[in-house]
Amino acid sequence: MTQGKNPRNFKKKGARKKQQHPFAKKNWYTVLAPSVFETREACLTPVTKGTGGKREGNKLKGRVFEISLADLKKNMPEMSWRKIQLQIEAIEGSKCYTSFYGMSMTRDRLCHIVKKWQTTIESFVDVKTQDGYYMRIFTIAFTQRRKTQLKATCYASSCQQAKIRKKMREIIVDESKSVPLKQLTDKFVERTIEKRIGKECNRIFPLQNIYLKRVKMLKQPRFDFSRLMDMYSDKAGASRVVDEKVKKQEAQAFKVEDKKEENTE
């Protein structure tokens, strides 16, 4: 041992630093969903705290969340197989504002509707909304037996399948081109497009289990904060506020008229 050194002060080799929990360096943000969905606060998301002049918001922008429709719409527990994708576009304080980014189905639902002795008809088309969003929409449907049919199978001919695919594309483009993204999202949730496809394609061949299999966002317009806030505006709530204002004005008008009659007497 070297003279003049205390062996007790020697540090042990391989000594580890005190480990810190990973989430101690993170902040939590609330993810908000557009007004089409009843649940406004969809979920929470963590992000690493900003250091060295780096902003936390830059790490959050563009983050995509996949949430079940049953969680976003409380009155639709049977729609748990529908997955909605929301993307963060703007951040204010600890709140993240999202917009619709895509839609898909769970694999178990897709496997459940695929059966034998019927024809599977699939189609897709690219659409552009009124406010400049480009999307690719995939559709799937299955042929159905007629009520008076004795045959076990219900196969559609290639000519009938081509007509049905063409009709599907026409309906999807017609429903999408004249509305903004907010109204189109409402159509996706309420299944308006599927109902129309089933009604109009019934003349060619009866269909069942008609679904929008997938919706993929291809291109988005330049970011506009006012357009994003329109997705969070509730027209029904605004109309209720207007009705209340009108009632208050009418009530005040009646009070003024009553006072005038009392003064004249």
Side-chain angles (χ1 to χ4, degrees):
M1 186 175 64
T2 309
Q3 189 177 4
K5 289 191 177 180
N6 190 352
R8 293 179 184 177
N9 295 334
F10 293 158
K11 292 182 180 179
K12 294 180 180 180
K13 292 183 179 180
R16 295 182 180 178
K17 294 181 180 179
K18 189 177 180 181
Q19 290 184 353
Q20 191 179 16
H21 197 278
F23 280 89
K25 297 180 180 180
K26 296 183 183 294
N27 288 332
W28 290 88
Y29 284 76
T30 305
V31 179
L32 303 179
S35 60
V36 176
F37 309 103
E38 292 177 3
T39 307
R40 292 300 180 88
E41 294 185 359
C43 61
L44 297 172
T45 183
V47 63
T48 307
K49 294 178 181 178
T51 55
K54 295 181 180 178
R55 295 183 179 180
E56 299 174 3
N58 296 334
K59 301 176 184 178
L60 283 172
K61 284 183 181 178
R63 188 176 289 187
V64 179
F65 302 89
E66 194 171 69
I67 308 170
S68 173
L69 183 58
D71 294 333
L72 295 173
K73 298 278 282 188
K74 294 180 180 179
N75 59 345
M76 291 184 175
E78 70 282 357
M79 296 291 287
S80 58
W81 51 269
R82 174 68 76 196
K83 296 185 291 184
I84 304 293
Q85 292 179 347
L86 302 174
Q87 187 182 37
I88 295 178
E89 289 199 9
I91 299 160
E92 279 191 354
S94 62
K95 295 181 179 180
C96 303
Y97 292 92
T98 61
S99 64
F100 179 82
Y101 188 71
M103 189 174 69
S104 60
M105 297 173 62
T106 56
R107 183 172 174 79
D108 63 323
R109 181 70 179 185
L110 191 60
C111 294
H112 175 71
I113 60 179
V114 176
K115 299 176 183 178
K116 61 181 180 179
W117 297 346
Q118 62 184 9
T119 304
T120 304
I121 303 171
E122 294 183 271
S123 177
F124 72 92
V125 64
D126 294 347
V127 299
K128 180 186 177 183
T129 62
Q130 192 179 27
D131 47 359
Y133 287 87
Y134 289 85
M135 289 184 287
R136 183 169 293 160
I137 302 175
F138 298 82
T139 320
I140 188 170
F142 302 89
T143 55
Q144 184 181 23
R145 291 181 61 192
R146 294 181 175 88
K147 294 180 180 180
T148 57
Q149 183 178 334
L150 300 176
K151 195 175 180 181
T153 60
C154 54
Y155 297 127
S157 64
S158 58
C159 181
Q160 289 172 329
Q161 293 180 39
K163 288 181 181 178
I164 290 172
R165 289 193 189 96
K166 184 180 178 182
K167 196 69 178 175
M168 283 178 174
R169 290 192 290 267
E170 290 176 356
I171 292 171
I172 293 171
V173 171
D174 184 54
E175 291 283 344
S176 305
K177 66 181 181 181
S178 59
V179 294
L181 181 64
K182 181 181 178 181
Q183 294 182 17
L184 186 59
T185 306
D186 189 37
K187 289 183 179 182
F188 291 155
V189 172
E190 300 297 333
R191 301 192 65 193
T192 307
I193 299 175
E194 291 101 312
K195 292 174 184 176
R196 185 179 169 186
I197 289 173
K199 186 177 180 180
E200 297 192 14
C201 292
N202 192 37
R203 303 168 188 172
I204 304 169
F205 202 99
L207 297 178
Q208 63 177 345
N209 295 330
I210 306 164
Y211 296 101
L212 295 181
K213 185 179 177 182
R214 187 185 176 197
V215 177
K216 182 180 179 182
M217 185 69 69
L218 300 178
K219 188 179 178 182
Q220 295 173 323
R222 184 175 293 178
F223 175 73
D224 185 7
F225 189 74
S226 61
R227 183 179 63 243
L228 181 63
M229 288 298 102
D230 289 341
M231 297 182 186
Y232 286 83
S233 62
D234 189 2
K235 291 184 178 179
S239 62
R240 286 194 294 269
V241 172
V242 171
D243 292 340
E244 290 178 0
K245 288 183 179 179
V246 170
K247 288 180 182 178
K248 287 181 180 179
Q249 290 175 359
E250 291 178 352
Q252 290 177 358
F254 283 124
K255 287 181 181 178
V256 171
E257 290 178 358
D258 292 341
K259 287 182 180 179
K260 286 181 179 180
E261 289 178 359
E262 290 176 359
N263 293 332
T264 53
E265 290 176 358

